[in-house]
Amino acid sequence: MIKKEMLDALNEQMAKEIGSAYLYGAMSADFSVNDWNGFAKWMMSQAKEEMSHGQKIYEYILERGGRPVFTALEKPQESWDAPKAAFEASLKHEKLITSSIDGLVNLARKIDDKATEYFLQWFVTEQVEEESTVEGILAKFDKLGDKNQGLFLLDRELGARE
Ligand code: OFO
């Protein structure tokens, strides 16, 4: 059975992953109401992915004989000044999530919970990918400068995400 300290930390992380889904859902809504339908689709896919991250932790907790606990989530911001600002906020958020995952790995090591340390490796790798994807998108925004036509093309490109 998993130790309480680790269980509590995993439950907190589950809330953070679902909180990421909340944030990206709010970004998707903001894009939609501003007619950036490609960005909206991309962000909604991201929100769904975050829900699946929460689900992974949920299942792991159950597997280890613990109880997944759903806590209240903070209301996310509702609107952003421009599409790029939302992606910048997303990168900032992912960096926080990365340090949160790193903290969990450190805790698993400290209490010698090898199973959880191994379980968390998937998240460590995933965070590298998450940060790099958003950094790549931001690099494209930078290349556009203030050219509106480019922004429409980027909106279309991101809208191709499944
Ligand atoms: Fe779950 O990777 Fe983003 O937050």
Side-chain angles (χ1 to χ4, degrees):
M1 184 145 169
I2 196 159
K3 286 191 182 139
K4 175 149 183 3
E5 202 180 353
M6 196 73 244
L7 173 64
D8 290 348
L10 284 169
N11 266 318
E12 265 176 44
Q13 188 63 36
M14 181 175 78
K16 284 180 191 171
E17 299 292 343
I18 299 170
S20 299
Y22 251 47
L23 175 64
Y24 297 150
M27 285 178 179
S28 181
D30 190 41
F31 285 139
S32 284
V33 298
N34 287 296
D35 297 317
W36 292 113
N37 295 325
F39 295 141
K41 186 167 171 241
W42 192 94
M43 225 20 120
M44 191 48 82
S45 297
Q46 194 61 24
K48 287 179 189 158
E49 214 177 280
E50 296 299 352
M51 282 304 290
S52 77
H53 297 172
Q55 173 94 19
K56 253 185 207 298
I57 299 173
Y58 172 94
E59 281 162 10
Y60 178 73
I61 289 173
L62 282 176
E63 250 178 358
R64 296 290 309 278
R67 173 187 290 270
V69 176
F70 287 78
T71 58
L73 297 176
E74 238 177 77
K75 179 183 179 295
Q77 191 174 324
E78 270 179 40
S79 63
W80 286 263
D81 291 342
K84 187 181 174 194
F87 281 94
E88 281 168 344
S90 161
L91 180 59
K92 194 170 159 210
H93 179 75
E94 285 308 322
K95 288 187 172 169
L96 285 177
I97 296 293
T98 298
S99 67
S100 179
I101 296 286
D102 289 349
L104 286 181
V105 173
N106 290 340
L107 175 62
R109 282 190 187 145
K110 193 178 112 199
I111 64 173
D112 198 25
D113 182 346
K114 291 194 172 54
T116 301
E117 188 186 340
Y118 181 74
F119 166 73
L120 289 168
Q121 288 315 303
W122 183 90
F123 285 87
V124 170
T125 309
E126 176 68 11
Q127 282 312 118
V128 172
E129 192 193 308
E130 299 264 282
E131 285 190 28
S132 147
T133 302
V134 183
E135 275 164 358
I137 294 170
L138 283 171
K140 288 184 179 174
F141 273 106
D142 286 342
K143 280 194 190 123
L144 300 179
D146 47 15
K147 285 182 228 114
N148 259 341
Q149 199 192 359
L151 202 52
F152 285 111
L153 289 175
L154 186 56
D155 181 57
R156 199 161 68 186
E157 183 188 323
L158 295 198
R161 178 178 179 177
E162 287 310 318

